[in-house]
Amino acid sequence: MQARTLYSILLFGGLGFLCGCDRLPGKPKEEDRWKPPSEIKDFALLFNTNCRGCHSNGQTLSASISMNNPPYLAVVPKEVMHKTIETGIPGTQMPTYSDKAGGSLTEEQVNILVEGIYNWAKGHEAPTDNLPPYSAALGDAERGKAVFAQACASCHGSGGEGTKGKGGAVDKAYLSLVSDQYLRTVVIVGRPELGMPGFREYVPGKPMTGEEISDVVSWLASRREGPAPGQSAKTAEIAPKTQPSTPNE
Amino acid sequence: MSAKDRPITSSLVNIAMWVERRLHLVKIWKATAGHPIPKSSASWFYTFGSMTLLCFTIQILTGILLALVYVPSANEAYRSLLFLNYQQELGWFLRAMHYWGSNCMVVIVFFHMTQVFLWGAYKHPRELTWISGVVLLFLTLALSFTGQVMRFDSDAYWGIGIGAAISGRIPIIGAQVVNLLLGGPIIGSDTLSRFFALHVFVLPGAVIALVSLHLRLVLLKGINEYPTPGIQVHKGTYWRNYEEMLHKDGMPFVPNGIGKDLVANGVLLLVMVALAVFVGPKGPEIPADPAQVISEAKPDYPFLWLLSAAALLPNGSEVILFFVVPLIAVILLIGLPFFSNVGEKHYSRRPVSILVVMLTYLTIGLLTYAGITGPWSPRMEAWSGTPTKPQFITGRSPVELQGALLLQGKQCRNCHSVGGEGGQRGPDLSAVGARMNQPQLIRQVIQGGGNMPAYGNTLTPQEVNALVSYLVSLRPINTIPALNPAIPEKAERVSSGEPTKGAKTGG
């Protein structure tokens, strides 16, 4: 009895080690090792801890646009992405990340993020013909209304109030929380993962032009009450809304 | 085959006899390992004592090996653990054995005590055996406590902080004791040196001394016989009966009585090795840095119940938890053999003892469980890193999507999970729209309540609007939003209070 116990201890213990100490599950792994946040150089880790809550990495859905998104990456210039991450977008939930401005990421880490995000599009590049410019001044709201009726109303309702199953795109609280650039981005690349196509597909066979996009964004922006996020003093946003809202039709 | 035929054997025997005549080893053996025990005591339930000793032996051995590498200074301690984990061949295994050995030791000391309590072994004439055991329990806890400080990472801080808090409450000399423990007013290199001295010299020394006393008492006063219900302990007759029993029905501990101990210890050793191999060592986590308060630090298993008790009890009750409760526990434990010195031993005749054990295990068990799954601290990175499951994104309107973003950006998810992911400090919000209606949600967000901060000043009316419309959308498919107030009392306050204007604006 005693001898057997002893043997089995030796046997199991010995076996455990023979299995190769490198593969034992209890052995601490290099990636579990704590590193100061500024030393994290791994793109996936950086993205998953800093961005994934709001921007999908392609594996989940997210409330804001996905970053693993070749059509988006085809249109957004690298410098803009870099700057957006560093400074954030004032007045919206997009935070400031540059450590020089009180954020948590170093310049190098922002570079790793930008490179990593663009790498997602490698080999899946979206077509670049007829590509509208990423950013542009607002267009003509009246014309934009017509564009909306043609391109967007089927899903968002003729006045943008929303249809069954699709949300209103001119909800005033919504518009006061998003920047004009974001509206433009969404019109260009859509939210394919949620069922909104991009600029090529609103009207079959006829990609939306840069001008039309400016116009429709301009119309959306004109439906906003008060300033766009980050545009002017916060008091204007918080002040009770007394003026009648802009007439609908 | 006699010694005369073999010159070598015979001279070996001569040497052995020479040593024996001087050391009287046979006599010592007979008095210790060979001492007679009642046959009934060779029970599986009686193996916890030797298992505790095995744990302690392993702790000593692994501890010595660890001390070869460990540098007890604030700057080097952390690095030496990293060296053990990642460079030193099998260094991680050594750390893991020491860590799990310590956890096992605490658990098994506890089992041992429970068994001694339930089987009435603490009664006359073994009072002092019990008391030395109680002291050993506290020494074991102290070793485990000072041991986690050796890691000198963020978790270690929890231990030092609590240690300082407890000793700071000691009347009159509190401040001096804190000073003595920390080696100054703040936690630093001196603190580590002091805990190191406690952990490797003072406490193990004390344990060795008390184990010797404990074992000596076991030999002198005998192993408890396996109690029989109905048989009473009388001070006058107990010892005579016990000796008679040994005489009639006794056997030497070694070799006859040790079998089950060996098997139990073998199994324990396997369990410890398995834990070490499969789970591995703990930490080191984030390095200790006085400038950084890490709210996610957790103590080791033996003290998790303290952490959750501290978090569950209302503010200000720490004095009771850390001072009054331990004091009462010490008095009760040490006083036990005097409160119930004679009478029935068997637990079946002592229902109160069963109740006490069950209550203790339930309390510590539940508190430990709460500590393991413990939502006591917010998850600081949840807001930017925790994704939202698809079912909480699809079908949402643009303004509801903005609400989802606000739930991230305003760091609500550090405390609240959605779909089980996120902090656990507040309730899960996956179905909050089914249990709270819009005015209630607005009120909760603006005014906070319970442990939730008020957001009235940090959110614009549009943000409240978006946030609340998202929360309303958080409900099982095909259910309507909560219409009737789920909690009448809350609803009343909402209707009497002033609903925010902004929250009503928009589509």
Side-chain angles (χ1 to χ4, degrees):
Chain A
M1 187 61 153
Q2 302 156 32
R4 241 190 284 157
T5 319
L6 199 68
Y7 288 145
S8 48
I9 292 170
L10 290 178
L11 188 73
F12 278 92
L15 270 182
F17 289 112
L18 284 180
C19 287
C21 304
D22 277 344
R23 265 174 288 143
L24 294 176
K27 185 177 167 145
K29 288 169 203 60
E30 190 56 39
E31 60 265 30
D32 297 338
R33 176 175 179 162
W34 186 85
K35 295 191 191 66
S38 61
E39 267 176 33
I40 298 175
K41 299 281 155 64
D42 177 50
F43 165 66
L45 191 59
L46 280 173
F47 190 88
N48 289 348
T49 47
N50 290 296
C51 320
R52 188 176 50 170
C54 300
H55 300 290
S56 166
N57 56 6
Q59 284 157 10
T60 51
L61 294 182
S62 55
S64 192
I65 51 167
S66 167
M67 285 291 133
N68 187 345
N69 192 343
Y72 173 61
L73 297 171
V75 68
V76 60
K78 253 188 194 176
E79 319 80 72
V80 174
M81 162 96 61
H82 197 280
K83 179 148 183 302
T84 308
I85 299 174
E86 287 209 314
T87 61
I89 301 175
T92 74
Q93 293 313 302
M94 174 67 197
T96 306
Y97 280 100
S98 168
D99 56 0
K100 294 188 204 80
S104 55
L105 300 180
T106 62
E107 170 100 41
E108 190 190 356
Q109 287 174 314
V110 174
N111 283 330
I112 293 172
L113 274 169
V114 173
E115 290 309 318
I117 289 173
Y118 279 89
N119 273 341
W120 272 329
K122 287 253 163 71
H124 313 275
E125 281 90 350
T128 49
D129 54 304
N130 299 326
L131 208 60
Y134 170 73
S135 60
L138 289 180
D140 181 291
E142 265 318 302
R143 277 197 319 242
K145 191 177 167 189
V147 175
F148 190 89
Q150 193 192 17
C152 325
S154 58
C155 292
H156 290 294
S158 54
E161 70 285 345
T163 56
K164 205 164 178 292
K166 305 277 192 307
V170 295
D171 183 287
K172 297 194 171 58
Y174 171 70
L175 290 174
S176 72
L177 296 171
V178 291
S179 66
D180 291 345
Q181 176 57 53
Y182 184 71
L183 290 172
R184 184 180 174 89
T185 307
V186 165
V187 171
I188 299 175
V189 297
R191 297 291 309 259
E193 73 282 17
L194 299 179
M196 168 155 162
F199 74 103
R200 291 177 203 279
E201 286 148 66
Y202 297 123
V203 182
K206 193 170 151 289
M208 205 179 248
T209 65
E211 204 182 335
E212 285 170 324
I213 291 169
S214 300
D215 292 343
V216 77
V217 168
S218 168
W219 182 70
L220 288 174
S222 75
R223 311 292 299 155
R224 192 186 270 137
E225 279 179 1
Q231 284 303 311
S232 76
K234 268 214 153 172
T235 46
E237 284 175 42
I238 299 167
K241 306 254 152 46
T242 41
Q243 81 272 38
S245 54
T246 23
N248 236 2
E249 293 295 334
Chain B
M1 282 294 240
S2 76
K4 269 181 213 146
D5 312 333
R6 299 280 171 90
I8 300 177
T9 331
S10 83
S11 49
L12 276 181
V13 167
N14 282 340
I15 293 173
M17 289 317 289
W18 184 87
V19 172
E20 165 60 22
R21 275 195 299 279
R22 274 143 195 91
L23 282 180
H24 301 282
L25 291 173
V26 172
K27 202 169 144 206
I28 295 179
W29 175 265
K30 278 225 176 94
T32 54
H35 76 284
I37 61 166
K39 271 212 174 101
S40 62
S41 300
S43 150
W44 288 110
F45 290 111
Y46 281 42
T47 56
F48 292 118
S50 63
M51 281 156 89
T52 314
L53 201 55
L54 173 73
C55 292
F56 185 62
T57 315
I58 288 179
Q59 291 311 87
I60 294 276
L61 292 178
T62 51
I64 290 173
L65 293 178
L66 284 174
L68 295 179
V69 175
Y70 184 79
V71 188
S73 91
N75 292 328
E76 296 296 320
Y78 191 85
R79 228 173 297 158
S80 49
L81 298 194
L82 288 183
F83 178 81
L84 280 165
N85 264 11
Y86 297 103
Q87 269 138 310
Q88 172 67 49
E89 185 74 20
L90 286 184
W92 64 272
F93 180 72
L94 198 58
R95 287 198 58 227
M97 275 308 276
H98 200 67
Y99 171 64
W100 287 108
S102 145
N103 287 335
C104 285
M105 183 161 168
V106 172
V107 170
I108 288 181
V109 163
F110 217 75
F111 286 168
H112 181 45
M113 250 180 107
T114 312
Q115 182 272 323
V116 166
F117 177 64
L118 284 178
W119 272 246
Y122 61 86
K123 297 197 173 197
H124 177 86
R126 302 191 180 86
E127 299 91 340
L128 213 52
T129 324
W130 168 266
I131 293 173
S132 60
V134 170
V135 178
L136 278 168
L137 169 77
F138 285 109
L139 286 175
T140 307
L141 287 175
L143 271 168
S144 168
F145 198 90
T146 49
Q148 73 183 6
V149 172
M150 294 304 102
R151 276 201 305 271
F152 218 57
D153 58 6
S154 50
D155 289 354
Y157 259 48
W158 187 91
I160 309 176
I162 294 289
I166 299 178
S167 27
R169 307 266 189 210
I170 301 176
I172 307 166
I173 51 162
Q176 281 86 339
V177 175
V178 172
N179 211 44
L180 189 71
L181 261 187
L182 302 189
I186 56 151
I187 300 169
S189 222
D190 290 342
T191 317
L192 185 56
S193 315
R194 274 157 211 244
F195 275 87
F196 182 72
L198 277 178
H199 186 71
V200 307
F201 300 117
V202 181
L203 292 170
V207 169
I208 291 173
L210 265 129
V211 165
S212 315
L213 175 66
H214 197 69
L215 292 181
R216 170 103 192 114
L217 284 163
V218 168
L219 291 177
L220 282 177
K221 297 292 154 199
I223 291 271
N224 190 30
E225 75 283 1
Y226 202 96
T228 322
I231 293 197
Q232 309 267 332
V233 177
H234 296 290
K235 273 192 186 161
T237 55
Y238 178 80
W239 190 246
R240 211 177 328 120
N241 293 346
Y242 183 80
E243 289 204 306
E244 220 166 80
M245 179 188 342
L246 280 190
H247 197 71
K248 258 201 344 246
D249 208 14
M251 60 184 187
F253 176 60
V254 180
N256 303 34
I258 201 178
K260 287 180 178 144
D261 287 276
L262 282 182
V263 175
N265 279 285
V267 170
L268 174 66
L269 193 60
L270 282 185
V271 168
M272 281 199 274
V273 171
L275 283 168
V277 164
F278 289 103
V279 186
K282 182 177 181 193
E285 319 276 327
I286 309 169
D289 173 4
Q292 235 178 334
V293 182
I294 313 243
S295 53
E296 285 164 73
K298 272 193 179 179
D300 289 355
Y301 290 118
F303 302 101
L304 273 178
W305 61 277
L306 260 181
L307 173 78
S308 20
L312 283 171
L313 287 172
N315 263 348
S317 53
E318 287 91 354
V319 192
I320 301 181
L321 179 67
F322 291 129
F323 203 66
V324 181
V325 172
L327 204 69
I328 295 179
V330 170
I331 292 174
L332 283 181
L333 283 173
I334 295 199
L336 175 71
F338 305 108
F339 307 143
S340 98
N341 194 227
V342 289
E344 282 284 350
K345 269 189 179 176
H346 197 267
Y347 50 85
S348 65
R349 296 291 172 95
R350 292 164 51 228
V352 178
S353 72
I354 298 183
L355 201 70
V356 168
V357 165
M358 274 171 30
L359 276 179
T360 314
Y361 273 67
L362 212 63
T363 315
I364 295 188
L366 285 179
L367 284 175
T368 304
Y369 176 77
I372 291 172
T373 54
W376 311 124
S377 37
R379 285 195 35 211
M380 296 324 244
E381 82 304 350
W383 68 278
S384 60
T386 308
T388 311
K389 291 201 174 118
Q391 67 264 36
F392 303 107
I393 297 283
T394 50
R396 264 69 185 184
S397 70
V399 70
E400 287 164 359
L401 292 177
Q402 282 299 312
L405 285 169
L406 283 156
L407 200 71
Q408 307 283 152
K410 295 297 172 187
Q411 316 208 344
C412 312
R413 287 195 77 185
N414 291 7
C415 292
H416 289 286
S417 60
V418 177
E421 288 177 73
Q424 307 282 326
R425 177 120 205 212
D428 185 283
L429 296 180
S430 310
V432 74
R435 57 174 187 270
M436 293 174 83
N437 62 20
Q438 198 194 24
Q440 287 173 323
L441 287 166
I442 293 172
R443 177 181 167 274
Q444 177 75 38
V445 171
I446 289 184
Q447 300 182 1
N451 277 323
M452 169 158 158
Y455 280 86
N457 293 331
T458 53
L459 295 173
T460 66
Q462 291 87 344
E463 286 172 333
V464 173
N465 184 336
L467 199 48
V468 168
S469 46
Y470 179 63
L471 292 175
V472 168
S473 83
L474 289 178
R475 52 177 199 272
I477 306 169
N478 296 332
T479 57
I480 50 163
L483 291 175
N484 300 321
I487 313 150
E489 183 261 336
K490 267 192 185 171
E492 196 185 274
R493 269 196 251 151
V494 168
S495 49
S496 63
E498 193 217 322
T500 47
K501 261 210 170 112
K504 289 272 171 75
T505 63

